[in-house]
Amino acid sequence: MKPYIVEEFSNGILLFTINRPEKRNAVNYEIMDGLEHALNLANNKKVKVFAITGAGDLAFCSGGDLSAFHCLRTEDEAFEMLNRMSDLLVKLFYLQKPTVALLNGTAVGGGCELASACDFRIARKNVKAGFIQGTLAITTGWGGGTFVSEKLLPANAMKMLMEASLYDTKQLEDLGFVQMIADGDLLESSKHFLEKMLRLDVNVLKAYKMMFINKWEKAGLKERVKEEVRRCSELWEDEAHHKQVAKFLGIK
C-alpha cells in the first residue's frame, strides 16, 4: 500500500492524502518525500487549491512516527529531521495558492503543526486536535508554534501551545483554529467552503496570497521557524524527553 496518495480534481483542487491509517497517519521520511512531490505539483497553473487529509476516519495525522524517530537521540540528529519537515511546512505555508487541511480525524502534535501550516482548516464533527508536544517534554519543532501565532489571536495561540491539550471541534472553532465543521462528506464540504474561491482565476488567488506572504516575509517568519526548530532540538536531547517517549511507546 502506497503511504500517500495525490489526486487532482477537475475543479482545481489538488489533494494529498497521508495513507497510513494503521499508523494513525504518522509522518515518516516517505511521507516527507510525498509531501514535497505534491507541493511541486501544486505549482501547476491548473491547481487553484492544495488540500491535505488523512486516510480513514480516526486520524488526520498523529505527528511524527515515534517508532521511526525514537532512534534520534542527539540535538544534531533531531535537528536534521525537524529541519527537513519544517522546511516542507514553510513551503506549504508560503504556497502561492489557498491551502486547506481536511481534518478527517484527530490531529495531534506534528499533525496539528501540519494543519496550522494551511490557510484554512475544515474538521469533521467530533474531531480533536492539539499541540501535545509539551507532554513529551519538547516544544513544537516543525514550525507550528510560529504558524499558529500568525493565524490566531495571541492569547488563543498561547493557550493551545502552553496547555498541550486536545480540544474538541467546537473549542477549536471558538479558538479560531477551525473555520468550518463538516456534517457530511469532508471533501464535499470542502468543495462547498471553497466554491467561491474556485470560481476565480488562479492569478487572482495568487495575487491575494502574495499579500500575506509579503507580510510574513517582513515579519521574519522563516528565521523564527529556524529558531523554533533549534529550541525543540535542544529539548529533544534531554533525558526528560526520551523518558516520556519511552513511556509512550511502552519501552522500559
Side-chain angles (χ1 to χ4, degrees):
M1 185 171 68
K2 195 170 183 181
Y4 62 87
I5 301 166
V6 182
E7 301 170 276
E8 188 171 347
F9 297 91
S10 58
N11 62 358
I13 295 176
L14 181 72
L15 178 65
F16 176 75
T17 303
I18 303 175
N19 191 31
R20 304 184 75 212
E22 77 288 353
K23 292 285 188 180
R24 298 187 67 82
N25 295 321
V27 171
N28 59 9
Y29 292 112
E30 282 184 295
I31 298 300
M32 292 185 194
D33 291 341
L35 180 58
E36 185 169 25
H37 171 65
L39 285 168
N40 289 334
L41 292 178
N43 287 313
N44 188 301
K45 63 182 180 181
K46 292 181 181 179
V47 175
K48 290 186 176 182
V49 173
F50 181 58
I52 299 176
T53 194
D57 57 8
L58 293 179
F60 166 73
C61 175
S62 58
D65 188 340
L66 292 180
S67 62
F69 301 146
H70 181 55
C71 60
L72 306 177
R73 306 292 295 181
T74 68
E75 179 181 336
D76 288 342
E77 289 172 342
F79 181 83
E80 185 177 354
M81 180 275 290
L82 296 170
N83 191 54
R84 183 174 178 212
M85 188 60 179
S86 72
D87 281 348
L88 288 172
L89 293 196
V90 166
K91 190 173 181 179
L92 170 61
F93 197 85
Y94 275 67
L95 190 69
Q96 294 179 18
K97 295 170 184 181
T99 58
V100 57
L102 306 180
L103 304 183
N104 58 296
T106 304
V108 296
C112 209
E113 297 193 62
L114 175 60
S116 72
C118 294
D119 298 319
F120 308 103
R121 283 152 295 283
I122 300 172
R124 182 177 284 156
K125 273 188 175 181
N126 303 319
V127 159
K128 292 187 176 182
F131 298 97
I132 62 164
Q133 289 89 332
T135 63
L136 294 174
I138 55 172
T139 60
T140 50
W142 290 347
T146 302
F147 303 148
V148 79
S149 70
E150 289 290 332
K151 302 291 179 68
L152 305 188
L153 292 171
N156 290 350
M158 282 189 184
K159 180 181 176 68
M160 288 192 74
L161 295 169
M162 293 180 177
E163 288 188 344
S165 299
L166 288 177
Y167 304 93
D168 63 33
T169 323
K170 182 63 171 65
Q171 290 172 315
L172 292 167
E173 188 178 43
D174 291 342
L175 287 164
F177 189 78
V178 163
Q179 281 69 54
M180 178 184 178
I181 300 174
D183 244 336
D185 182 83
L186 195 56
L187 186 57
E188 287 304 313
S189 294
S190 72
K191 290 175 182 176
H192 177 72
F193 179 84
L194 299 166
E195 182 181 7
K196 292 179 181 177
M197 293 183 205
L198 291 169
R199 291 177 193 163
L200 300 183
D201 185 86
V202 67
N203 290 319
V204 173
L205 298 174
K206 288 175 68 174
Y208 277 127
K209 185 66 180 281
M210 280 305 302
M211 293 180 184
F212 293 91
I213 290 173
N214 290 336
K215 173 188 172 232
W216 296 328
E217 279 285 277
K218 290 175 182 176
L221 184 133
K222 290 179 182 177
E223 293 76 17
R224 287 155 52 201
V225 168
K226 288 296 181 191
E227 282 303 309
E228 181 177 336
V229 173
R230 291 190 189 284
R231 284 195 298 272
C232 183
S233 301
E234 292 168 2
L235 291 170
W236 189 289
E237 189 176 66
D238 287 353
E239 191 58 30
H241 170 60
H242 295 305
K243 280 184 178 180
Q244 290 301 320
V245 171
K247 182 179 177 182
F248 180 82
L249 293 174
I251 300 172
K252 294 183 179 179

